Amino acid sequence: MLVNKKIDMSKKITILGLTLILFIQLFACLYFGTKKEGFYEDEIATYGLSSCPNALGRKDYEITWKSGKDYENLLIVNENTRFSYGMVYDNQVRDVHPPLYYFLIHSLESFFPGIFSKWIGIAPNILFCLLTTLLIFYISNQITKSRVISVCTAAFWALSIGGLSTAVFIRMYAMLTFFTTGLLALHVKIWKKLQTDTVLKYSDYVLLLLCTVAGILTQYYFMIFCFFLCGIFALYLLIS
């Protein structure tokens, strides 16, 4: 009974510590989000490619004076372009990036037509960063079996300059980080099952498929990570 009480207390402390880290991470992301004033050119492209037909072909904005209304037409979804996923897809056919992230931004913009806000880009980034923190805790806990180490590992990511910068940089990299971390977490889960001769479920394969497809549709860098992760895992299966 005493051992069970100690285990229960350890779990409660772990949950409390992880919850505290998530709240601090959320507060820090919101704080730095409020301080964001300017936009890098790629961030402007995020809004343009998610909002305007043929945004990539609009070269008339370079070295030319344009009114505020012209920029609204480029960067803001209106009543006529709401939920126009074909438009977003066509923009990405002309660009180099997969469309999933732009679909997400376009969806959020479509709920607030006529409004330009940095929070449309920052809010989903914060969510992906918080979920990544949970995945990092899970991966660390599966490998080290130490809740203390796992909480500390999650905290290192959550409060790092890279993690916070990813949250306020309005591009697809927070989403990419989530899917790459998710793919690693799934491989760690399967690795643990194979070690204990546990039969894999259909859900394991489905999650692998969904995570892989979503990652590829988010950013082409994902395929590089996926290649090496899956290659190393395949070698492990062959020699084990």
Side-chain angles (χ1 to χ4, degrees), residues 211-225:
C211 187
T212 302
V213 172
I216 292 173
L217 290 177
T218 298
Q219 229 280 359
Y220 47 79
Y221 289 159
F222 180 87
M223 290 187 285
I224 301 174
F225 175 82

Side-chain angles (χ1 to χ4, degrees), residues 34-82:
T34 60
K35 297 299 181 181
K36 183 178 180 66
E37 296 181 354
F39 296 88
Y40 182 59
E41 59 183 311
D42 284 353
E43 294 178 293
I44 296 174
T46 293
Y47 285 97
L49 293 168
S50 303
S51 311
C52 176
N54 193 29
L56 202 63
R58 300 296 297 273
K59 301 298 184 182
D60 53 320
Y61 281 81
E62 298 177 0
I63 320 177
T64 306
W65 171 260
K66 291 292 181 180
S67 68
K69 188 63 178 177
D70 290 321
Y71 279 99
E72 285 184 10
N73 293 333
L74 177 65
L75 302 175
I76 299 176
V77 164
N78 56 46
E79 292 293 342
N80 296 323
T81 54
R82 294 177 67 196

Side-chain angles (χ1 to χ4, degrees), residues 5 79 237:
K5 287 183 178 180
E79 292 293 342
L237 293 177

Side-chain angles (χ1 to χ4, degrees), residues 8-32:
D8 291 340
M9 182 59 67
S10 177
K11 286 184 178 179
K12 290 179 180 178
I13 293 174
T14 301
I15 293 172
L16 179 62
L18 190 58
T19 302
L20 180 61
I21 289 170
L22 291 172
F23 271 110
I24 295 174
Q25 181 185 14
L26 175 60
F27 175 81
C29 289
L30 292 174
Y31 173 77
F32 287 111

Side-chain angles (χ1 to χ4, degrees), residues 26-209:
L26 175 60
F27 175 81
C29 289
L30 292 174
Y31 173 77
F32 287 111
T34 60
K35 297 299 181 181
K36 183 178 180 66
E37 296 181 354
F39 296 88
Y40 182 59
E41 59 183 311
D42 284 353
E43 294 178 293
I44 296 174
T46 293
Y47 285 97
L49 293 168
S50 303
S51 311
C52 176
N54 193 29
L56 202 63
R58 300 296 297 273
K59 301 298 184 182
D60 53 320
Y61 281 81
E62 298 177 0
I63 320 177
T64 306
W65 171 260
K66 291 292 181 180
S67 68
K69 188 63 178 177
D70 290 321
Y71 279 99
E72 285 184 10
N73 293 333
L74 177 65
L75 302 175
I76 299 176
V77 164
N78 56 46
E79 292 293 342
N80 296 323
T81 54
R82 294 177 67 196
F83 302 108
S84 300
Y85 296 102
M87 172 196 74
V88 180
Y89 180 81
D90 289 339
N91 281 337
Q92 294 316 117
V93 167
R94 299 181 179 92
D95 196 15
V96 297
H97 296 296
L100 187 58
Y101 173 74
Y102 297 92
F103 285 160
L104 173 62
I105 297 299
H106 179 75
S107 298
L108 294 175
E109 287 183 308
S110 296
F111 286 109
F112 306 98
I115 296 176
F116 178 84
S117 173
K118 61 185 176 182
W119 294 106
I120 289 176
I122 295 176
N125 281 357
I126 293 176
L127 176 60
F128 285 123
C129 286
L130 293 172
L131 292 174
T132 299
T133 299
L134 293 175
L135 287 174
I136 290 174
F137 170 81
Y138 171 81
I139 293 169
S140 179
N141 191 47
Q142 289 295 308
I143 295 174
T144 67
K145 293 298 182 181
S146 170
R147 293 191 180 97
V148 175
I149 293 177
S150 301
V151 170
C152 291
T153 303
F156 282 136
W157 150 256
L159 306 179
S160 67
I161 293 176
L164 295 174
S165 297
T166 300
V168 298
F169 186 49
I170 305 175
R171 294 293 284 168
M172 70 290 294
Y173 298 109
M175 191 174 183
L176 172 66
T177 303
F178 168 70
F179 285 124
T180 52
T181 310
L183 187 66
L184 177 58
L186 289 172
H187 276 80
V188 169
K189 178 183 178 182
I190 292 173
W191 169 61
K192 297 290 289 186
K193 285 188 174 183
L194 293 176
Q195 282 191 323
T196 57
D197 294 324
T198 303
V199 178
L200 298 180
K201 299 179 179 179
Y202 286 113
S203 59
D204 295 322
Y205 298 108
V206 171
L207 287 174
L208 271 177
L209 175 63

